[in-house]
Amino acid sequence: MEQTLLLIKPSAIQRGLIGEVITRIEKKGLKLTGMKMMNLDDAIINEHYAHLVQKPFFPIIKNSMQATPVIACCIEGIEAVQVVRALTGSTNGRNALPGTIRGDFSVSVLENIVHTSDSIENAKIEVKRFFCDNEIFSYKSANFDFTYSPDEI
Ligand code: UDP
Ligand code: MG
């Protein structure tokens, strides 16, 4: 099973969308295996958004991510990285397709509700960045046998 990271950003927390985001993950059939509210310090944002540190708008991103705590979620499922990325929609909420989290709840590039890992490799790094081993939980979903076929697992 793959694991991927989802961050519920301050834009979702301030707009009362925590439940909407979690509901979409649950309804899709994905499993939450870790969840915590946390403040992001400069160090973790610099590391997490290292690909954007040199951009002129990086201070705006940092400010946005520190406006409130975020909620970090570890999500598990078959091909969970691509499944969650598809649920997320494209970066710019104005272009993101209706039906996606960003497409339904955002009209901004910056304030786009969630972060989600963009590759299997990055998902592994990002889950470890936000969670200690003992903060990830292993349990069987009661509906597992009706979520996947035997030959998928
Ligand atoms: N971002 C922004 N302006 C940009 C590009 C990115 O404000 O031109 C913000 C936006 O919140 C985005 C985050 O920086 O979600 C990380 O950017 P990335 O390109 O990794 O997009 P994502 O993977 O979140 O779709
Ligand atoms: Mg990204």
Side-chain angles (χ1 to χ4, degrees), residues 36-92:
K36 63 175 173 179
M37 181 172 272
M38 58 197 289
N39 285 312
L40 302 186
D41 62 19
D42 286 359
I44 199 167
I45 294 176
N46 291 348
E47 191 180 283
H48 187 65
Y49 285 137
H51 59 297
L52 298 171
V53 166
Q54 302 303 329
K55 301 279 187 191
F57 51 82
F58 186 70
I60 295 174
I61 293 177
K62 183 177 279 186
N63 193 52
S64 169
M65 293 299 287
Q66 292 178 330
T68 69
V70 303
I71 297 173
C73 303
C74 181
I75 297 165
E76 190 179 287
I78 295 171
E79 297 173 7
V81 175
Q82 70 173 58
V83 170
V84 172
R85 194 72 181 167
L87 289 181
T88 299
S90 57
T91 306
N92 183 341

Side-chain angles (χ1 to χ4, degrees), residues 1-142:
M1 285 284 167
E2 269 174 36
Q3 292 184 331
T4 191
L5 180 81
L6 180 148
L7 297 179
I8 302 180
K9 293 184 176 183
S11 49
I13 288 172
Q14 291 290 45
R15 291 180 51 214
L17 296 171
I18 299 168
E20 295 278 2
V21 171
I22 300 298
T23 295
R24 283 174 185 232
I25 298 300
E26 289 185 310
K27 283 188 172 172
K28 181 67 173 170
L30 295 158
K31 184 160 78 170
L32 271 163
T33 56
M35 188 182 229
K36 63 175 173 179
M37 181 172 272
M38 58 197 289
N39 285 312
L40 302 186
D41 62 19
D42 286 359
I44 199 167
I45 294 176
N46 291 348
E47 191 180 283
H48 187 65
Y49 285 137
H51 59 297
L52 298 171
V53 166
Q54 302 303 329
K55 301 279 187 191
F57 51 82
F58 186 70
I60 295 174
I61 293 177
K62 183 177 279 186
N63 193 52
S64 169
M65 293 299 287
Q66 292 178 330
T68 69
V70 303
I71 297 173
C73 303
C74 181
I75 297 165
E76 190 179 287
I78 295 171
E79 297 173 7
V81 175
Q82 70 173 58
V83 170
V84 172
R85 194 72 181 167
L87 289 181
T88 299
S90 57
T91 306
N92 183 341
R94 293 189 295 276
N95 299 335
L97 291 176
T100 65
I101 293 169
R102 288 170 171 170
D104 287 350
F105 300 126
S106 164
V107 285
S108 170
V109 180
L110 178 68
E111 306 294 0
N112 59 2
I113 310 299
V114 289
H115 162 83
T116 53
S117 305
D118 64 4
S119 68
I120 293 173
E121 187 189 8
N122 282 339
K124 287 182 184 149
I125 294 167
E126 292 180 356
V127 168
K128 282 197 187 309
R129 178 174 298 141
F130 286 86
F131 290 95
C132 302
D133 287 350
N134 66 2
E135 293 173 326
I136 304 289
F137 296 87
S138 180
Y139 62 97
K140 187 179 177 188
S141 294

